[in-house]
Amino acid sequence: MKVKKKRVYGLVTSLMLAASLLGACSDNKDNGGEKSGNLDHLNATDMPITKEKIEVDGFAAKFFASQDWNKLMLWEEYEKMSNIHINWTTVQTEVLADKKNLLLAAGNYPEIFFASAFSKTDLIKYGQQGVFLPLNDYIDQYAPNFKKLLEEYPSVKQGVTMADGNIYGFPTIYDPKFSSLRVGAPWINQKWLDNLGLQSPETTEDLYNVLKAFKENDPNGNGLQDEQGWGTGYGIEQIISYLRGSFGLNKQGTMNLNLDFKKGTEEFRFVPTTDEYKQLLEFLNKLYKEGLINKDVFTTEPQKFAAEAAKGTFGMLSEVDPKELYKIDGYTGAQVLEGPNGDRQFTAMTNGLGNLGMFVLTDKAKNPEAMVRWIDHLYGDEGAKMFFMGFEGVTYEENADGTIQYVENITNNPDGKNLDQAISDYLTWPGGYYPGIVTKKYFQGAEAKENSINNANQVMPYALKDDEIIPGLNYTVEENDRVSAVLTDIQTYVNEMTASFITGKESFDKWNDYKKTIEKMGLQEYLEVAQGAYDRSK
């Protein structure tokens, strides 16, 4: 049961593009878009949002194929409150990118895109074309909850505002005070450690030795060599992220994934060509070659991996608490590891701002003011409560002290469903694709449970400070044009070669050739533009 922080990444991913390509300049001074002319039917505050029922065409991504959003309790009840009926067209997250791009290319797009994970590049592209409406004036007049958050968290406002001064999308925001949403180590099987008389690894070398012992020394005591080392269903980046700080990488966070500073300077270097990144890949190659990482890490999908993980044969698992996700006990948070050069830090962090394009209005929107009020509700207390907790007596109950919790049918489902599966019969948040703000008060997924909080607490002493994290760089139109094609090609090549080095398909003897290839693809031009954008932001 995950929030997007680890999936939208995922899901994450033209990660470099999604994190870097922000801006564009524009001569368009209208930051509010054309008004709809339907203001007579709009209530300025409270519910319902419109005096008469309106219908809106919407497109969204969903995690569970079984969900029918046109018959889902969340949207049925919100329609009763708001007087707004959404005619939903939904696709699964795995095919989202292709489907939304086809709609936009054909001009056959809806009034709203919800949970559609548009990158900064998409927002500025379609915003400049007039396909996505600029939202500034609408937010100022009709989105008091979101406006308050922008005032409270200036870095969030900076992140959602393009270089032309416009906001084109409503984002996911992870409450910066909710630490277990921002940090967390993988989960290690404490029972297996105890059975073998081992301590939780403190160094990368310890980790190798422990994973090897897990695989070879029968820690589950069944007399069979059926144990596995480290597994994840969300790709190798989950493993790399945990280890970046152990190899001295990304000391400015991961909002610009492939950039950090040269030691003692504020001059960018390109992370995937550093000696430290090579060391990291060599370590992962060692684990992969000896079968200590799941062999299908580059091809498996989350739901397929879940069936394997639920067998309880992995000594270490990425993602969220296995007790919540796979119904298996005995796992505890692993340590932040000291790497071969003495680095011991957790650096896979952002400022709490998730995907920027989780809700956008297109130029086909007939009632933009009403839809801004509609989405703004999810950024307020009552809206967040509805979106994440559902409805009293059905999905949650209130305690005597005023706190709320999911009902037994959700937390201990009689049909054997995990929490994600059970709550998805009513709500849409599992899978991590949504606009809104995630707070500890109303988010009761795995990250809010005691085990995850304990995991985060042991990570926090090694975590980056907020002022050390650099937000996504903000490019002008000219800069964006210069680097977008370069970055696309470089990122594709980096991803391919990262996989090849880890699996052994490519020898590390080819490392210099790999670096030279990236340099020939325009790396220096990209670094110059990125440096200029950073220097300008100061």
Side-chain angles (χ1 to χ4, degrees), residues 9-41:
Y9 297 145
L11 2 113
V12 209
T13 49
S14 290
L15 279 168
M16 185 167 10
L17 286 173
S20 300
L21 299 180
L22 174 59
C25 295
S26 172
D27 294 328
N28 176 17
K29 302 302 181 184
D30 180 7
N31 288 341
E34 294 184 6
K35 298 295 183 282
S36 65
N38 295 327
L39 296 181
D40 290 343
H41 300 295

Side-chain angles (χ1 to χ4, degrees), residues 157-174:
K157 183 176 182 179
Q158 178 185 359
V160 300
T161 304
M162 304 292 111
D164 63 359
N166 286 333
I167 298 172
Y168 294 108
F170 284 84
T172 308
I173 300 173
Y174 304 106

Side-chain angles (χ1 to χ4, degrees), residues 405-417:
Q405 63 186 33
Y406 287 129
V407 298
E408 179 77 6
N409 189 58
I410 301 298
T411 58
N412 189 20
N413 186 265
D415 298 324
K417 297 179 179 179

Side-chain angles (χ1 to χ4, degrees), residues 433-449:
Y433 280 69
Y434 46 76
I437 182 166
V438 189
T439 66
K440 187 177 179 180
K441 183 178 180 181
Y442 293 131
F443 183 78
Q444 294 191 10
E447 288 88 345
K449 301 296 177 64

Side-chain angles (χ1 to χ4, degrees), residues 219-515:
N220 64 14
N222 67 356
L224 303 173
Q225 195 173 18
D226 58 351
E227 296 88 348
Q228 302 185 66
W230 188 355
T232 175
Y234 293 92
I236 196 66
E237 182 55 38
Q238 292 295 306
I239 292 175
I240 291 176
S241 289
Y242 166 58
L243 294 172
R244 286 180 182 272
S246 299
F247 285 83
L249 300 170
N250 293 93
K251 292 187 177 183
Q252 285 69 50
T254 50
M255 299 190 77
N256 303 284
L257 185 68
N258 292 321
L259 297 173
D260 66 8
F261 290 149
K262 296 178 181 178
K263 188 174 182 179
T265 76
E266 291 190 11
E267 180 184 351
F268 281 134
R269 61 177 186 168
F270 191 66
V271 169
T273 57
T274 61
D275 292 342
E276 293 90 338
Y277 192 74
K278 180 185 179 184
Q279 282 184 300
L280 171 55
L281 297 190
E282 288 173 331
F283 177 68
L284 292 179
N285 168 256
K286 181 180 180 181
L287 299 185
Y288 188 89
K289 182 173 60 177
E290 298 192 29
L292 304 181
I293 299 174
N294 57 308
K295 288 291 187 181
D296 61 355
V297 67
F298 295 100
T299 58
T300 191
E301 297 178 352
Q303 309 236 23
K304 179 181 177 182
F305 179 79
E308 183 67 24
K311 297 176 183 177
T313 58
F314 281 101
M316 197 156 83
L317 290 163
S318 293
E319 317 335 322
V320 299
D321 185 358
K323 181 177 182 179
E324 304 296 330
L325 193 58
Y326 307 123
K327 300 292 184 182
I328 51 178
D329 292 316
Y331 289 81
T332 188
Q335 307 292 313
V336 175
L337 303 175
E338 181 179 326
N341 306 316
D343 296 288
R344 190 173 192 178
Q345 195 169 28
F346 186 86
T347 63
M349 297 181 65
T350 74
N351 64 356
L353 183 60
N355 187 280
L356 304 189
M358 280 301 185
F359 181 89
V360 301
L361 285 168
T362 74
D363 58 352
K364 296 186 179 183
K366 303 178 188 69
N367 299 276
E369 298 88 356
M371 295 316 298
V372 168
R373 281 210 59 209
W374 184 89
I375 192 61
D376 183 62
H377 186 60
L378 301 188
Y379 291 89
D381 191 74
E382 287 301 314
K385 181 180 180 180
M386 176 187 73
F387 189 79
F388 290 107
M389 295 302 300
F391 305 93
E392 187 171 10
V394 180
T395 57
Y396 76 82
E397 56 193 3
E398 186 169 340
N399 301 316
D401 62 358
T403 60
I404 62 175
Q405 63 186 33
Y406 287 129
V407 298
E408 179 77 6
N409 189 58
I410 301 298
T411 58
N412 189 20
N413 186 265
D415 298 324
K417 297 179 179 179
N418 64 26
L419 192 147
D420 276 19
Q421 294 165 336
I423 203 65
S424 71
D425 290 338
Y426 308 93
L427 308 177
T428 66
W429 65 258
Y433 280 69
Y434 46 76
I437 182 166
V438 189
T439 66
K440 187 177 179 180
K441 183 178 180 181
Y442 293 131
F443 183 78
Q444 294 191 10
E447 288 88 345
K449 301 296 177 64
E450 183 179 1
N451 283 352
S452 295
I453 293 171
N454 291 339
N455 186 336
N457 285 342
Q458 72 174 17
V459 171
M460 283 304 292
Y462 302 98
L464 293 176
K465 303 295 186 291
D466 285 348
D467 60 5
E468 296 174 315
I469 299 171
I470 297 178
L473 297 175
N474 188 348
Y475 294 125
T476 67
V477 167
E478 180 184 357
E479 291 168 342
N480 185 69
D481 290 343
R482 288 175 62 192
V483 303
S484 59
V486 172
L487 281 178
T488 300
D489 292 342
I490 287 178
Q491 187 65 61
T492 299
Y493 181 66
V494 166
N495 292 344
E496 291 173 352
M497 292 301 292
T498 292
S500 294
F501 283 128
I502 290 173
T503 60
K505 181 179 178 181
E506 197 69 70
S507 167
F508 284 97
D509 291 341
K510 301 291 186 180
W511 183 259
N512 286 335
D513 293 339
Y514 156 78
K515 289 172 59 177

